[in-house]
Amino acid sequence: MWRDADFRSLWMGQTASQLGEHASLVVLPLFAVLTLHAGAGELGVLRAVGQAPILLLSLFVGAWVDRWRTRTTMVLTDLGRALALGAAAVAGLVGWLGLPGLLALAFAVGALSVFFDVAYQASLVRLVERDQLVRGNSALEGSRSAAQIGGPALGGALVSLLSAPIAAASSALFFALSFLSIRRIRRTESLPKRPEDHRRLWRRILEGLRFVAGDTALRTVCLASAVFQFSFAAVMTVYLLFLPRELHLSGTVVGLALAAAGPGALLGSVLAARLPSRFGHGAVLVCAAALGDGVFLCVPALHGSSAVTVAALLAAGFVFGAGGQLVNVTVMAVRQALTPDGMQGRTAATITFAGMGVTPLGSLLGGFLAEEWGLRTSLLVTAAGMMLSPLVMALSPLARLGRELPASHDARPTADRPAAG
Protein backbone atom coordinates (compact mmCIF):
# COMPACT_ATOMS: atom_id res chain seq x y z
CA MET A 1 0.00 0.00 0.00
CA TRP A 2 2.69 2.50 0.98
CA ARG A 3 4.37 2.17 -2.44
CA ASP A 4 1.14 2.92 -4.27
CA ALA A 5 1.55 6.24 -6.09
CA ASP A 6 -2.10 7.20 -5.65
CA PHE A 7 -1.98 6.67 -1.90
CA ARG A 8 1.25 8.68 -1.66
CA SER A 9 -0.38 11.53 -3.58
CA LEU A 10 -3.37 11.45 -1.23
CA TRP A 11 -1.09 11.34 1.81
CA MET A 12 1.08 14.23 0.61
CA GLY A 13 -1.95 16.30 -0.37
CA GLN A 14 -3.72 15.68 2.90
CA THR A 15 -0.56 16.60 4.82
CA ALA A 16 -0.23 19.94 3.02
CA SER A 17 -3.95 20.61 3.39
CA GLN A 18 -3.83 19.96 7.13
CA LEU A 19 -0.81 22.24 7.49
CA GLY A 20 -2.74 25.04 5.82
CA GLU A 21 -5.84 24.38 7.89
CA HIS A 22 -4.06 24.23 11.25
CA ALA A 23 -2.06 27.37 10.47
CA SER A 24 -5.21 29.28 9.54
CA LEU A 25 -7.01 28.11 12.69
CA VAL A 26 -4.35 29.98 14.68
CA VAL A 27 -3.80 32.91 12.32
CA LEU A 28 -7.39 34.15 12.21
CA PRO A 29 -8.10 34.12 15.98
CA LEU A 30 -4.69 35.61 16.83
CA PHE A 31 -5.14 38.35 14.27
CA ALA A 32 -8.53 39.14 15.81
CA VAL A 33 -7.18 39.13 19.38
CA LEU A 34 -3.75 40.75 18.93
CA THR A 35 -4.36 43.11 16.00
CA LEU A 36 -8.07 43.94 16.08
CA HIS A 37 -8.26 43.65 19.90
CA ALA A 38 -11.37 41.47 19.69
CA GLY A 39 -13.16 40.68 22.92
CA ALA A 40 -14.25 37.24 24.18
CA GLY A 41 -17.68 37.55 22.56
CA GLU A 42 -16.24 38.62 19.19
CA LEU A 43 -13.74 35.77 19.24
CA GLY A 44 -16.54 33.33 20.02
CA VAL A 45 -18.52 34.67 17.06
CA LEU A 46 -15.48 34.39 14.76
CA ARG A 47 -14.90 30.77 15.71
CA ALA A 48 -18.61 29.97 15.48
CA VAL A 49 -18.84 31.43 11.96
CA GLY A 50 -15.89 29.31 10.84
CA GLN A 51 -17.51 26.19 12.29
CA ALA A 52 -21.06 26.92 11.10
CA PRO A 53 -20.58 25.22 7.68
CA ILE A 54 -20.19 21.90 9.49
CA LEU A 55 -23.71 22.26 10.84
CA LEU A 56 -25.16 23.73 7.67
CA LEU A 57 -23.50 21.63 4.98
CA SER A 58 -22.27 18.27 6.30
CA LEU A 59 -25.35 16.18 5.48
CA PHE A 60 -25.64 17.59 1.97
CA VAL A 61 -21.92 17.18 1.35
CA GLY A 62 -22.04 13.54 2.43
CA ALA A 63 -24.82 12.78 -0.05
CA TRP A 64 -22.99 14.64 -2.82
CA VAL A 65 -19.60 13.06 -2.18
CA ASP A 66 -21.08 9.55 -2.50
CA ARG A 67 -22.09 10.62 -6.04
CA TRP A 68 -18.94 12.56 -6.98
CA ARG A 69 -15.34 11.68 -7.70
CA THR A 70 -13.49 12.35 -4.48
CA ARG A 71 -10.36 13.46 -6.33
CA THR A 72 -12.30 16.21 -8.13
CA THR A 73 -13.89 17.38 -4.87
CA MET A 74 -10.56 17.62 -3.05
CA VAL A 75 -8.81 19.39 -5.92
CA LEU A 76 -11.54 22.04 -6.26
CA THR A 77 -11.74 22.71 -2.52
CA ASP A 78 -7.96 23.08 -2.25
CA LEU A 79 -8.01 25.58 -5.08
CA GLY A 80 -10.87 27.52 -3.47
CA ARG A 81 -9.14 27.76 -0.09
CA ALA A 82 -5.87 28.85 -1.68
CA LEU A 83 -7.64 31.62 -3.59
CA ALA A 84 -9.66 32.77 -0.57
CA LEU A 85 -6.65 33.02 1.74
CA GLY A 86 -4.53 34.57 -1.01
CA ALA A 87 -7.15 37.29 -1.49
CA ALA A 88 -7.28 37.84 2.27
CA ALA A 89 -3.49 38.19 2.39
CA VAL A 90 -3.62 40.91 -0.27
CA ALA A 91 -6.47 42.68 1.53
CA GLY A 92 -4.52 42.56 4.79
CA LEU A 93 -1.38 44.00 3.25
CA VAL A 94 -3.30 47.05 2.00
CA GLY A 95 -5.12 47.50 5.31
CA TRP A 96 -8.58 46.23 4.30
CA LEU A 97 -8.71 43.11 6.50
CA GLY A 98 -11.05 43.88 9.37
CA LEU A 99 -13.38 41.76 11.48
CA PRO A 100 -16.11 41.55 8.78
CA GLY A 101 -13.51 40.29 6.31
CA LEU A 102 -12.24 37.75 8.83
CA LEU A 103 -15.80 36.49 9.37
CA ALA A 104 -16.37 36.05 5.64
CA LEU A 105 -13.01 34.34 5.20
CA ALA A 106 -13.60 31.99 8.14
CA PHE A 107 -16.96 30.92 6.73
CA ALA A 108 -15.61 30.37 3.20
CA VAL A 109 -12.61 28.33 4.34
CA GLY A 110 -14.79 26.36 6.76
CA ALA A 111 -17.30 25.50 4.03
CA LEU A 112 -14.60 24.28 1.63
CA SER A 113 -12.95 22.29 4.43
CA VAL A 114 -16.19 20.36 5.00
CA PHE A 115 -16.09 19.18 1.38
CA PHE A 116 -12.40 18.25 1.58
CA ASP A 117 -12.63 16.37 4.88
CA VAL A 118 -15.62 14.24 3.86
CA ALA A 119 -14.08 13.50 0.45
CA TYR A 120 -10.67 12.42 1.73
CA GLN A 121 -12.22 10.07 4.31
CA ALA A 122 -14.34 8.45 1.58
CA SER A 123 -11.40 8.28 -0.83
CA LEU A 124 -9.28 6.08 1.44
CA VAL A 125 -11.79 3.22 1.21
CA ARG A 126 -11.44 3.36 -2.58
CA LEU A 127 -7.63 3.22 -2.45
CA VAL A 128 -6.90 0.44 0.08
CA GLU A 129 -8.34 -2.91 1.12
CA ARG A 130 -10.52 -3.14 4.22
CA ASP A 131 -7.87 -4.99 6.22
CA GLN A 132 -5.53 -2.05 5.61
CA LEU A 133 -7.91 0.65 6.88
CA VAL A 134 -6.28 0.97 10.31
CA ARG A 135 -2.81 1.31 8.78
CA GLY A 136 -4.10 3.71 6.14
CA ASN A 137 -5.86 5.87 8.70
CA SER A 138 -2.79 5.71 10.92
CA ALA A 139 -0.66 7.10 8.09
CA LEU A 140 -3.14 9.85 7.24
CA GLU A 141 -3.66 10.78 10.87
CA GLY A 142 0.11 10.75 11.31
CA SER A 143 0.35 13.42 8.64
CA ARG A 144 -2.33 15.37 10.47
CA SER A 145 -0.14 15.09 13.57
CA ALA A 146 2.77 16.59 11.68
CA ALA A 147 0.46 19.40 10.60
CA GLN A 148 -0.53 19.96 14.22
CA ILE A 149 3.15 20.39 15.03
CA GLY A 150 4.07 22.72 12.19
CA GLY A 151 0.81 24.54 11.47
CA PRO A 152 0.08 26.30 14.77
CA ALA A 153 3.76 27.03 15.45
CA LEU A 154 4.22 28.53 11.99
CA GLY A 155 0.97 30.49 12.15
CA GLY A 156 1.66 31.89 15.62
CA ALA A 157 5.25 32.80 14.78
CA LEU A 158 4.33 34.57 11.53
CA VAL A 159 1.54 36.57 13.17
CA SER A 160 3.83 37.55 16.05
CA LEU A 161 7.02 38.27 14.10
CA LEU A 162 5.68 39.47 10.75
CA SER A 163 1.97 39.97 10.09
CA ALA A 164 -1.35 38.18 9.75
CA PRO A 165 -1.45 38.70 5.96
CA ILE A 166 1.86 36.88 5.54
CA ALA A 167 0.61 34.11 7.81
CA ALA A 168 -2.54 33.84 5.68
CA ALA A 169 -0.39 33.66 2.56
CA SER A 170 1.52 30.71 4.03
CA SER A 171 -1.75 28.83 4.50
CA ALA A 172 -2.72 29.60 0.90
CA LEU A 173 0.61 28.13 -0.23
CA PHE A 174 -0.04 24.85 1.60
CA PHE A 175 -3.47 24.51 -0.01
CA ALA A 176 -1.88 25.13 -3.40
CA LEU A 177 0.64 22.34 -2.71
CA SER A 178 -2.20 20.01 -1.72
CA PHE A 179 -3.98 20.89 -4.98
CA LEU A 180 -0.92 19.94 -7.01
CA SER A 181 -0.38 16.68 -5.15
CA ILE A 182 -3.94 15.36 -5.25
CA ARG A 183 -4.18 16.15 -8.96
CA ARG A 184 -1.58 13.42 -9.46
CA ILE A 185 -3.98 10.67 -8.31
CA ARG A 186 -4.60 8.56 -11.40
CA ARG A 187 -6.86 5.79 -10.14
CA THR A 188 -10.12 6.06 -12.07
CA GLU A 189 -13.34 6.49 -10.14
CA SER A 190 -16.53 5.67 -12.02
CA LEU A 191 -18.54 8.82 -12.63
CA PRO A 192 -21.53 8.60 -10.31
CA LYS A 193 -25.06 9.41 -11.36
CA ARG A 194 -26.33 12.76 -10.13
CA PRO A 195 -29.59 12.93 -8.17
CA GLU A 196 -32.54 13.58 -10.45
CA ASP A 197 -34.26 16.01 -8.09
CA HIS A 198 -34.15 17.46 -4.58
CA ARG A 199 -36.37 14.70 -3.24
CA ARG A 200 -33.75 12.18 -4.35
CA LEU A 201 -31.02 14.14 -2.52
CA TRP A 202 -33.06 14.28 0.67
CA ARG A 203 -33.80 10.58 0.38
CA ARG A 204 -30.08 9.82 0.24
CA ILE A 205 -29.45 12.05 3.25
CA LEU A 206 -32.16 10.23 5.19
CA GLU A 207 -30.62 6.89 4.22
CA GLY A 208 -27.36 8.01 5.81
CA LEU A 209 -29.14 9.22 8.96
CA ARG A 210 -31.08 5.96 9.28
CA PHE A 211 -27.97 3.86 8.76
CA VAL A 212 -26.06 5.63 11.53
CA ALA A 213 -29.07 5.76 13.86
CA GLY A 214 -29.66 2.03 13.34
CA ASP A 215 -26.22 0.96 14.56
CA THR A 216 -25.44 1.06 18.28
CA ALA A 217 -21.72 1.68 17.84
CA LEU A 218 -22.21 4.50 15.34
CA ARG A 219 -24.91 6.12 17.50
CA THR A 220 -22.52 6.13 20.42
CA VAL A 221 -19.76 7.64 18.27
CA CYS A 222 -22.16 10.45 17.33
CA LEU A 223 -23.15 11.17 20.93
CA ALA A 224 -19.62 10.98 22.34
CA SER A 225 -18.31 13.14 19.50
CA ALA A 226 -21.05 15.75 20.04
CA VAL A 227 -20.31 16.01 23.76
CA PHE A 228 -16.58 16.29 23.17
CA GLN A 229 -16.71 18.73 20.26
CA PHE A 230 -19.19 21.03 22.01
CA SER A 231 -17.03 21.20 25.13
CA PHE A 232 -13.76 21.40 23.22
CA ALA A 233 -15.02 24.31 21.11
CA ALA A 234 -15.86 26.16 24.32
CA VAL A 235 -12.47 25.23 25.80
CA MET A 236 -10.53 26.51 22.80
CA THR A 237 -12.37 29.85 22.73
CA VAL A 238 -11.41 30.41 26.36
CA TYR A 239 -7.92 28.91 25.89
CA LEU A 240 -7.03 31.28 23.04
CA LEU A 241 -7.81 34.17 25.39
CA PHE A 242 -6.38 32.56 28.52
CA LEU A 243 -2.87 32.11 27.08
CA PRO A 244 -2.15 35.68 25.92
CA ARG A 245 -4.25 37.61 28.45
CA GLU A 246 -4.11 35.58 31.66
CA LEU A 247 -0.67 33.97 31.24
CA HIS A 248 0.74 36.88 29.14
CA LEU A 249 2.26 34.63 26.47
CA SER A 250 3.38 35.95 23.09
CA GLY A 251 1.88 34.83 19.80
CA THR A 252 4.89 32.62 19.15
CA VAL A 253 4.56 30.82 22.48
CA VAL A 254 0.81 30.47 21.99
CA GLY A 255 1.51 28.81 18.64
CA LEU A 256 4.03 26.46 20.25
CA ALA A 257 1.59 25.58 23.04
CA LEU A 258 -1.04 24.66 20.47
CA ALA A 259 1.52 22.81 18.36
CA ALA A 260 2.48 20.62 21.33
CA ALA A 261 -0.49 18.41 20.51
CA GLY A 262 1.27 17.50 17.27
CA PRO A 263 4.10 15.35 18.64
CA GLY A 264 1.61 13.66 20.95
CA ALA A 265 -0.72 13.00 18.05
CA LEU A 266 2.17 11.56 16.07
CA LEU A 267 2.78 9.11 18.90
CA GLY A 268 -0.94 8.41 19.06
CA SER A 269 -0.98 7.55 15.36
CA VAL A 270 1.82 5.04 15.81
CA LEU A 271 0.14 3.48 18.85
CA ALA A 272 -3.20 3.34 17.07
CA ALA A 273 -1.76 0.88 14.57
CA ARG A 274 -0.89 -1.52 17.43
CA LEU A 275 -2.87 -1.03 20.63
CA PRO A 276 -6.43 -1.81 19.42
CA SER A 277 -5.40 -5.22 18.08
CA ARG A 278 -3.67 -5.98 21.39
CA PHE A 279 -6.03 -4.57 24.03
CA GLY A 280 -9.28 -4.20 22.10
CA HIS A 281 -10.77 -1.26 20.23
CA GLY A 282 -13.24 -0.43 23.00
CA ALA A 283 -10.69 -0.36 25.81
CA VAL A 284 -8.36 1.86 23.80
CA LEU A 285 -11.17 4.29 22.98
CA VAL A 286 -12.29 4.77 26.58
CA CYS A 287 -8.84 4.95 28.18
CA ALA A 288 -7.34 7.24 25.54
CA ALA A 289 -10.30 9.63 25.70
CA ALA A 290 -10.21 9.80 29.50
CA LEU A 291 -6.48 10.49 29.57
CA GLY A 292 -6.39 12.98 26.72
CA ASP A 293 -9.44 14.97 27.80
CA GLY A 294 -8.65 14.88 31.51
CA VAL A 295 -5.29 16.62 31.16
CA PHE A 296 -6.99 19.95 30.37
CA LEU A 297 -8.36 20.01 33.92
CA CYS A 298 -4.82 20.86 35.08
CA VAL A 299 -4.37 23.95 32.89
CA PRO A 300 -6.46 26.43 34.95
CA ALA A 301 -4.03 25.92 37.86
CA LEU A 302 -1.17 27.53 35.89
CA HIS A 303 -0.05 31.12 36.59
CA GLY A 304 2.40 33.48 34.91
CA SER A 305 4.62 33.02 31.88
CA SER A 306 7.52 31.21 33.53
CA ALA A 307 9.43 28.34 31.96
CA VAL A 308 7.57 25.95 34.26
CA THR A 309 4.22 27.20 32.97
CA VAL A 310 5.29 26.85 29.35
CA ALA A 311 6.66 23.35 29.98
CA ALA A 312 3.40 22.34 31.66
CA LEU A 313 1.40 23.63 28.67
CA LEU A 314 3.61 21.69 26.30
CA ALA A 315 3.20 18.51 28.37
CA ALA A 316 -0.58 18.95 28.54
CA GLY A 317 -0.77 19.48 24.80
CA PHE A 318 1.35 16.38 24.17
CA VAL A 319 -0.86 14.14 26.32
CA PHE A 320 -4.02 15.61 24.81
CA GLY A 321 -2.69 15.04 21.30
CA ALA A 322 -1.69 11.42 21.98
CA GLY A 323 -5.01 10.49 23.56
CA GLY A 324 -7.07 12.35 20.99
CA GLN A 325 -5.27 10.77 18.06
CA LEU A 326 -5.72 7.28 19.46
CA VAL A 327 -9.43 7.97 19.64
CA ASN A 328 -9.58 9.54 16.16
CA VAL A 329 -7.81 6.71 14.35
CA THR A 330 -9.66 3.95 16.21
CA VAL A 331 -13.08 5.54 15.72
CA MET A 332 -12.43 6.14 12.03
CA ALA A 333 -11.38 2.53 11.48
CA VAL A 334 -14.47 1.23 13.32
CA ARG A 335 -16.74 3.53 11.35
CA GLN A 336 -15.20 2.58 8.00
CA ALA A 337 -15.32 -1.14 8.82
CA LEU A 338 -19.02 -0.96 9.73
CA THR A 339 -20.01 1.01 6.64
CA PRO A 340 -20.67 -0.34 3.13
CA ASP A 341 -18.69 1.38 0.37
CA GLY A 342 -21.72 3.16 -1.04
CA MET A 343 -22.48 4.76 2.33
CA GLN A 344 -18.99 5.95 3.30
CA GLY A 345 -19.50 9.63 2.43
CA ARG A 346 -22.94 9.87 4.02
CA THR A 347 -21.85 8.04 7.17
CA ALA A 348 -18.80 10.27 7.59
CA ALA A 349 -20.92 13.36 6.99
CA THR A 350 -23.66 12.24 9.39
CA ILE A 351 -21.17 11.66 12.18
CA THR A 352 -19.46 14.96 11.37
CA PHE A 353 -22.83 16.71 11.44
CA ALA A 354 -23.78 15.17 14.78
CA GLY A 355 -20.39 15.79 16.36
CA MET A 356 -18.90 18.89 14.79
CA GLY A 357 -22.26 20.53 14.08
CA VAL A 358 -22.54 21.66 17.68
CA THR A 359 -19.14 23.40 17.71
CA PRO A 360 -20.52 26.86 16.79
CA LEU A 361 -22.71 26.71 19.89
CA GLY A 362 -19.75 25.59 21.98
CA SER A 363 -17.64 28.49 20.72
CA LEU A 364 -20.39 30.96 21.53
CA LEU A 365 -20.79 29.44 24.99
CA GLY A 366 -17.05 29.71 25.61
CA GLY A 367 -17.09 33.41 24.72
CA PHE A 368 -20.13 34.02 26.92
CA LEU A 369 -18.66 32.19 29.93
CA ALA A 370 -15.33 34.00 29.56
CA GLU A 371 -17.10 37.35 29.74
CA GLU A 372 -19.40 36.39 32.61
CA TRP A 373 -17.28 34.09 34.79
CA GLY A 374 -13.71 35.01 33.91
CA LEU A 375 -11.12 33.04 31.97
CA ARG A 376 -9.82 30.71 34.69
CA THR A 377 -13.21 29.52 35.97
CA SER A 378 -14.59 29.17 32.46
CA LEU A 379 -11.63 27.06 31.38
CA LEU A 380 -12.11 24.69 34.32
CA VAL A 381 -15.84 24.28 33.70
CA THR A 382 -15.55 23.70 29.96
CA ALA A 383 -12.63 21.27 30.43
CA ALA A 384 -14.77 19.27 32.88
CA GLY A 385 -17.43 19.06 30.18
CA MET A 386 -15.04 17.15 27.91
CA MET A 387 -14.91 14.31 30.43
CA LEU A 388 -18.50 13.40 29.57
CA SER A 389 -17.27 11.96 26.26
CA PRO A 390 -15.25 9.02 27.67
CA LEU A 391 -18.07 8.46 30.16
CA VAL A 392 -20.58 8.05 27.31
CA MET A 393 -18.31 5.53 25.58
CA ALA A 394 -17.61 3.61 28.80
CA LEU A 395 -21.34 3.11 29.41
CA SER A 396 -22.06 1.91 25.86
CA PRO A 397 -21.48 -1.28 23.83
CA LEU A 398 -18.70 0.60 22.04
CA ALA A 399 -16.50 -0.06 25.08
CA ARG A 400 -16.89 -3.80 24.53
CA LEU A 401 -15.47 -3.88 21.00
CA GLY A 402 -12.72 -6.48 20.84
CA ARG A 403 -9.43 -6.84 19.02
CA GLU A 404 -11.00 -7.47 15.60
CA LEU A 405 -12.79 -4.76 13.65
CA PRO A 406 -16.54 -5.41 13.32
CA ALA A 407 -17.90 -6.59 9.99
CA SER A 408 -19.54 -4.22 7.52
CA HIS A 409 -23.32 -4.37 7.31
CA ASP A 410 -23.00 -5.49 3.69
CA ALA A 411 -20.98 -8.53 4.85
CA ARG A 412 -22.54 -11.79 6.02
CA PRO A 413 -21.79 -12.64 9.70
CA THR A 414 -19.51 -15.56 10.42
CA ALA A 415 -18.59 -17.49 13.54
CA ASP A 416 -15.26 -15.72 13.76
CA ARG A 417 -16.52 -12.26 12.93
CA PRO A 418 -20.04 -11.57 14.22
CA ALA A 419 -22.07 -8.61 13.05
CA ALA A 420 -21.76 -5.51 15.22
CA GLY A 421 -24.49 -3.37 16.63
Side-chain angles (χ1 to χ4, degrees):
M1 174 177 64
W2 314 121
R3 296 177 182 175
D4 185 272
D6 286 333
F7 181 84
R8 287 200 304 271
S9 295
L10 174 65
W11 178 81
M12 292 172 63
Q14 191 251 9
T15 301
S17 178
Q18 291 293 327
L19 277 169
E21 184 173 342
H22 283 285
S24 66
L25 289 176
V26 174
V27 169
L28 300 187
L30 283 183
F31 182 70
V33 172
L34 301 177
T35 303
L36 302 180
H37 308 290
E42 291 172 318
L43 181 61
V45 170
L46 175 64
R47 285 175 48 77
V49 166
Q51 295 157 345
I54 301 171
L55 177 64
L56 299 175
L57 301 177
S58 292
L59 293 178
F60 297 98
V61 171
W64 288 329
V65 165
D66 277 339
R67 291 285 185 168
W68 288 356
R69 291 172 177 163
T70 56
R71 173 186 176 276
T72 302
T73 302
M74 291 186 287
V75 164
L76 291 177
T77 53
D78 275 333
L79 180 61
R81 290 184 290 183
L83 292 176
L85 285 165
V90 174
L93 288 173
V94 297
W96 294 347
L97 189 62
L99 187 58
L102 283 177
L103 292 172
L105 177 64
F107 185 85
V109 172
L112 292 169
S113 295
V114 171
F115 279 88
F116 184 93
D117 290 344
V118 173
Y120 101 75
Q121 292 182 53
S123 69
L124 180 63
V125 180
R126 305 178 191 183
L127 291 177
V128 304
E129 300 297 329
R130 277 188 176 271
D131 60 359
Q132 296 177 317
L133 284 176
V134 172
R135 292 183 61 207
N137 281 310
S138 180
L140 290 178
E141 290 299 305
S143 71
R144 190 164 71 91
S145 305
Q148 287 178 321
I149 299 171
L154 177 63
L158 290 177
V159 170
S160 181
L161 300 177
L162 299 174
S163 67
I166 293 178
S170 70
S171 295
L173 176 61
F174 286 123
F175 289 129
L177 292 174
S178 179
F179 166 81
L180 294 174
S181 178
I182 292 177
R183 282 188 69 236
R184 297 171 57 193
I185 295 177
R186 291 292 176 259
R187 185 163 300 182
T188 302
E189 297 180 49
S190 58
L191 185 63
K193 296 180 180 179
R194 301 295 176 88
E196 296 178 358
D197 53 37
H198 292 293
R199 291 173 55 193
R200 176 59 178 163
L201 176 63
W202 279 107
R203 188 156 58 246
R204 290 178 58 77
I205 290 173
L206 290 175
E207 286 174 358
L209 289 170
R210 284 196 296 266
F211 176 76
V212 173
D215 184 88
T216 304
L218 295 179
R219 284 201 310 271
T220 303
V221 168
C222 284
L223 179 58
S225 177
V227 171
F228 169 78
Q229 296 295 347
F230 178 83
S231 300
F232 183 62
V235 165
M236 287 306 297
T237 299
V238 181
Y239 194 59
L240 287 168
L241 292 165
F242 181 79
L243 295 184
R245 293 185 178 174
E246 192 75 21
L247 300 184
H248 308 291
L249 301 176
S250 67
T252 301
V253 177
V254 170
L256 289 173
L258 296 173
L266 189 61
L267 174 63
S269 295
V270 174
L271 295 177
R274 296 173 174 82
L275 295 186
S277 61
R278 182 173 181 181
F279 298 106
H281 290 76
V284 169
L285 281 174
V286 174
C287 294
L291 178 64
D293 297 350
V295 73
F296 258 105
L297 291 170
C298 304
V299 176
L302 300 176
H303 291 79
S305 57
S306 66
V308 174
T309 294
V310 174
L313 289 172
L314 295 177
F318 182 88
V319 174
F320 174 75
Q325 194 74 326
L326 264 171
V327 173
N328 290 340
V329 175
T330 307
V331 162
M332 193 175 295
V334 170
R335 188 261 297 165
Q336 290 170 337
L338 284 168
T339 306
D341 289 346
M343 294 286 292
Q344 289 289 341
R346 281 170 287 172
T347 302
T350 299
I351 293 175
T352 297
F353 172 80
M356 297 293 292
V358 298
T359 55
L361 300 177
S363 294
L364 292 174
L365 176 65
F368 173 78
L369 292 179
E371 288 185 333
E372 297 296 323
W373 293 358
L375 296 176
R376 199 173 296 275
T377 301
S378 299
L379 187 57
L380 179 62
V381 171
T382 53
M386 290 199 300
M387 294 302 295
L388 294 175
S389 179
L391 179 62
V392 167
M393 289 191 287
L395 297 177
S396 76
L398 194 65
R400 298 193 291 273
L401 288 177
R403 299 178 181 179
E404 298 292 330
L405 282 171
S408 168
H409 288 287
D410 62 355
R412 184 173 300 175
T414 66
D416 295 327
R417 194 177 185 184

